[in-house]
Amino acid sequence: MPGIDETKKFVPLRIAVLTVSDTREFADDKSGSTLVERIEKAGHVLADRKIVKDEVEAIRAQVKAWIADKGIDVVISTGGTGFTGRDVTPEAVEPLFEKRMDGFATLFLMVSYQKIGTSAIQTRATAGVANATYVFCLPGSPGACKDAWDEILVHQLDYRYRPCNFVEILPRLDEHLRRAKAQGATA
């Protein structure tokens, strides 16, 4: 049965939040604020928060800066995952992924379907691992951010969650970069 193992100590992660929007500012960024509130309530640390325009270069530059920062464990973006011409978050972020997390998109779709029915098909939520950092790209609605956090991320970003979680494998995400050549290998 999945759940929290109370015998384990909570491990706070450093999480950066990116709002992708041509119109939002911090004062009216409900989706970003929803994520920040939940991140802090769960006991994690808000490492940084930014708002960028719906432009591939701006989105990619900010995510690249955060994944290069060894002090940031997770990046969560909100906005730009729809189908309109300005929705370019997946195009900006997915090329940075070393490994895609197709299961996140599938599970998010399942959670969304329970809440909004067939309208859930209008999302292009995506996730992956980039430079030993988890990256999650969520839709720009507060409801979608609540659903993604409350139903998926709050559990997977909690070291105590069983049977498994993202936190316990975080130290090994970059092991392929640290692995020494096999002794005697010539390549």
Side-chain angles (χ1 to χ4, degrees), residues 44-61:
H44 297 294
V45 176
L46 179 66
D48 200 0
R49 180 179 179 190
K50 299 270 194 252
I51 297 176
V52 298
K53 300 284 185 198
D54 287 283
E55 296 169 359
V56 169
E57 297 80 18
I59 299 164
R60 188 173 296 153

Side-chain angles (χ1 to χ4, degrees), residues 69-81:
D69 183 339
K70 292 299 177 195
I72 295 179
D73 303 306
V74 179
V75 173
I76 304 175
S77 74
T78 173
T81 63

Side-chain angles (χ1 to χ4, degrees), residues 23-106:
T23 60
R24 296 282 177 249
E25 296 180 7
F26 288 119
D28 64 352
D29 177 18
K30 293 179 183 174
S31 296
S33 294
T34 295
L35 289 168
V36 168
E37 174 188 307
R38 281 167 162 69
I39 287 164
E40 292 175 340
K41 183 179 178 188
H44 297 294
V45 176
L46 179 66
D48 200 0
R49 180 179 179 190
K50 299 270 194 252
I51 297 176
V52 298
K53 300 284 185 198
D54 287 283
E55 296 169 359
V56 169
E57 297 80 18
I59 299 164
R60 188 173 296 153
Q62 185 57 65
V63 173
K64 281 177 88 170
W66 282 338
I67 65 174
D69 183 339
K70 292 299 177 195
I72 295 179
D73 303 306
V74 179
V75 173
I76 304 175
S77 74
T78 173
T81 63
F83 289 101
T84 71
R86 297 289 293 160
D87 290 326
V88 295
T89 300
E91 290 78 11
V93 177
E94 287 179 342
L96 302 175
F97 293 165
E98 294 153 10
K99 297 188 179 188
R100 289 178 52 103
M101 196 183 302
D102 295 328
F104 174 80
T106 301

Side-chain angles (χ1 to χ4, degrees), residues 162-182:
R162 295 290 168 243
C164 57
N165 59 75
F166 289 140
V167 183
E168 62 193 356
I169 61 173
L170 188 58
R172 299 187 350 243
L173 291 181
D174 67 349
E175 66 189 356
H176 66 289
L177 302 174
R178 295 180 281 127
R179 189 176 301 132
K181 285 186 180 180

